[in-house]
Each structure stands twice: as structure tokens, then as C-alpha cells.
Amino acid sequence: MCDIKEKIAAGTGNFSKREMKVAEYIVENYQQILYMSGSELAKAAGVSDATVVRFAKTLGYSGFSQFRNDMKNEARRKRSPYSFLKKMPEISKSGYERFLSALSEDMALFGDEIDADKIDYVAECLLKAETVYLVGIGSDGVMVKYMSDYLTTMGKKCIAIYDEGISLRQKILTASSKDFILLASFPTVQPDEYWTASFAMENGIGAALITDSELTAAALGMPCFFKAKVPMESFFNSSVFVMILCDMILMKMYDLDESGIAAALKRYDEVTGNA
């Protein structure tokens, strides 16, 4: 079955110059546009709404909605564990060298893009918060587990949220302006993530996002975000950059409140019998 990127590549000769801008934008930001409206895509690509519709029709669709639905269906198929696993023989041909090379390049880019002021801001907010809400659905829960373990040990009250739907909303509803929400979203935005971001903004609750794309941050309306891009797309992706980012935030918290955190760690040792 011909995938959508292949359809776009095959239709290149039929696109107008403006339609080509849409095509290029989609290919370069494929995972992040699944929930964008036609108008949002047009604005991001720098074209008119009508151009987006014409682009979809050039590919043989009735309009942008049908094109986007096809993209969503394709994304669901490709994100299945088996579909990811099928990619591995191709990735494995060049062995560890290719993976380490990609990891090294992305690590350099990750380091260049880190905003120290945002690290400071989030560390300060986590220290001041009465309760820290950590939100990560599905595989995004890696961040939740990691931060929850450390923050709890450091004396912070945390609510770890891995759930979706009503369970997530019931837990978030207890948050107030005295609290802070740290949300992870990779790579496709879920409805519950939209709801969480909106709830935080509507109720004056501080929040930050860890993601792999500026588009995800824009879609969620999150001005404070960190980009932690996974180096290669496969079934065995790790969260190495997310963990490094979390470490930086935790280290900054210790810098800002060394005595308070040291006291909390001492209490932890006493309670667990490690003193």
C-alpha cells in the first residue's frame, strides 16, 4: 500500500508552487499535523486555506478533512508495535554505528537548544508548588515515573497521572494556582493533553511541557516547553533526552534549595532505615 509520503512524492510534478509549500511542510512535520485544522496548516505553511484544499484534491482527496483522516488511519497502523518492529531490519543494516552517530548529532542539537532560563523557571516552580502534577499518557509515563521517584524523595508532594479520560480529569481537578503541572507529550497530541493544558491556563496553574516538537507546544498553547527529540524512530526508542532534561531540572532544584533538599533526603534515609 502506497503511504501518504509516497503519494506526495509521486504527485510533486502536479503541485503548484503554493501547494508545494504545503507538501514540504507536511513531510517535514509529519507526526505533528495529525490534529491540525486546514486553517492551522495553511497558516503554518504560509499559504491560504484554499491552497490546502487544492493540495488535498491534487492528491485525489475530496478535501483536507478526508486527507487528514487518511493520515490518522495511516499513523495508527504505523504506530503499532509490529509495524515499528518491521522497520528494525532496515535500521540494523548499519548496526550500532548509525544509531550512535544519530544519537551524537541529536545530543549536540539538544544541548544547543536547551534554554537555561526555562530550566531555572521550572525548578523554581517545582520547589514552590504545594503539589506537583506529573502527567504522561502511555509511553510518555516514563517521565512521570522518573520525576515522581526523585521529587518524592526530595520531599515534594506529587500526583503521578498515567490515566486517560475521567480518571485523569478527576485527579487534575484538584489542582490550584498553588500547584504546578509538568506534562509530557510525544509525538501525537491526545485529547486529554489538550484538556490538561487548557485547564491549567484557565485556572492560572503553572505548567511546562516536555515534547519533541514546537508544533505540539503550539497546539497545546504551552509557552514554556522543552524539546527532547528522539534520535531514531523505531520500536526500541528510549527516553534518553527526557531523562537528561529531568536531571538538569532536578540538579537546578538542588542548587536553589540545597539545605531543604538535603534535609528531605536525610528524613528519607531515616524512614527507610538507610541512615
Side-chain angles (χ1 to χ4, degrees):
M1 183 181 292
C2 180
D3 68 21
I4 291 176
K5 285 186 179 180
E6 290 173 348
K7 282 184 182 180
I8 292 174
T12 298
N14 300 319
F15 295 140
S16 67
K17 288 184 178 180
R18 290 188 177 277
E19 288 171 1
M20 272 301 298
K21 292 181 70 175
V22 179
E24 290 169 357
Y25 189 86
I26 289 172
V27 170
E28 292 173 3
N29 303 279
Y30 195 72
Q31 292 289 344
Q32 285 75 43
I33 69 168
L34 296 178
Y35 291 91
M36 293 177 74
S37 67
S39 295
E40 288 170 337
L41 175 57
K43 183 178 179 180
V47 300
S48 67
D49 291 6
T51 299
V52 171
V53 175
R54 285 196 296 270
F55 161 82
K57 289 184 175 180
T58 299
L59 284 179
Y61 296 96
S62 61
F64 176 72
S65 294
Q66 186 187 37
F67 167 76
R68 186 180 58 184
N69 287 339
D70 202 8
M71 280 193 70
K72 287 182 179 180
N73 290 333
E74 180 180 275
R76 278 192 286 269
R77 291 195 303 270
K78 288 189 173 183
R79 286 197 60 76
S80 72
Y82 178 64
S83 294
F84 267 129
L85 199 61
K86 287 194 297 184
K87 297 178 182 179
M88 294 309 294
E90 178 183 350
I91 292 173
S92 299
K93 287 177 183 176
S94 55
Y96 299 123
E97 291 81 5
R98 180 181 173 190
F99 173 74
L100 291 173
S101 176
L103 184 66
S104 177
E105 291 174 5
D106 278 10
M107 185 65 210
L109 181 61
F110 174 72
D112 290 341
E113 292 183 346
I114 285 293
D115 188 330
D117 290 338
K118 287 184 179 179
I119 295 283
D120 293 354
Y121 167 74
V122 171
E124 290 172 359
C125 288
L126 292 175
L127 285 170
K128 293 176 182 177
E130 288 189 356
T131 303
V132 177
Y133 291 76
L134 301 165
V135 183
I137 299 170
S139 60
D140 299 341
V142 170
M143 180 280 292
V144 175
K145 179 67 168 65
Y146 191 78
M147 288 297 280
S148 177
D149 286 347
Y150 275 99
L151 290 175
T152 301
T153 304
M154 292 162 65
K156 293 302 303 182
K157 179 183 177 182
C158 296
I159 295 181
I161 304 175
Y162 308 91
D163 322 64
E164 298 180 63
I166 293 176
S167 179
L168 175 145
R169 301 185 185 200
Q170 285 177 333
K171 291 176 181 178
I172 293 289
L173 279 173
T174 62
S176 74
S177 58
K178 296 179 180 179
D179 304 318
F180 192 80
I181 297 174
L182 186 60
L183 169 67
S185 179
F186 299 82
T188 303
V189 181
Q190 304 292 329
D192 286 322
E193 293 167 346
Y194 277 114
W195 184 89
T196 299
S198 296
F199 181 82
M201 288 182 284
E202 290 169 3
N203 292 276
I205 304 169
L209 170 70
I210 301 176
T211 184
D212 59 351
S213 169
E214 294 90 343
L215 288 175
T216 300
L220 291 173
M222 300 280 282
C224 182
F225 71 93
F226 300 96
K227 183 178 176 183
K229 184 179 181 296
V230 177
M232 293 178 68
E233 185 176 320
S234 77
F235 178 64
F236 300 110
N237 276 335
S238 71
S239 300
V240 58
F241 294 135
V242 176
M243 300 300 99
I244 292 172
L245 177 61
C246 289
D247 283 344
M248 294 173 73
I249 293 171
L250 293 167
M251 289 175 187
K252 187 61 184 181
M253 290 177 68
Y254 181 69
D255 286 343
L256 293 172
D257 187 19
E258 183 175 343
S259 60
I261 290 175
L265 295 178
K266 184 178 180 181
R267 286 197 300 273
Y268 178 83
D269 280 352
E270 291 170 350
V271 170
T272 57
N274 292 324

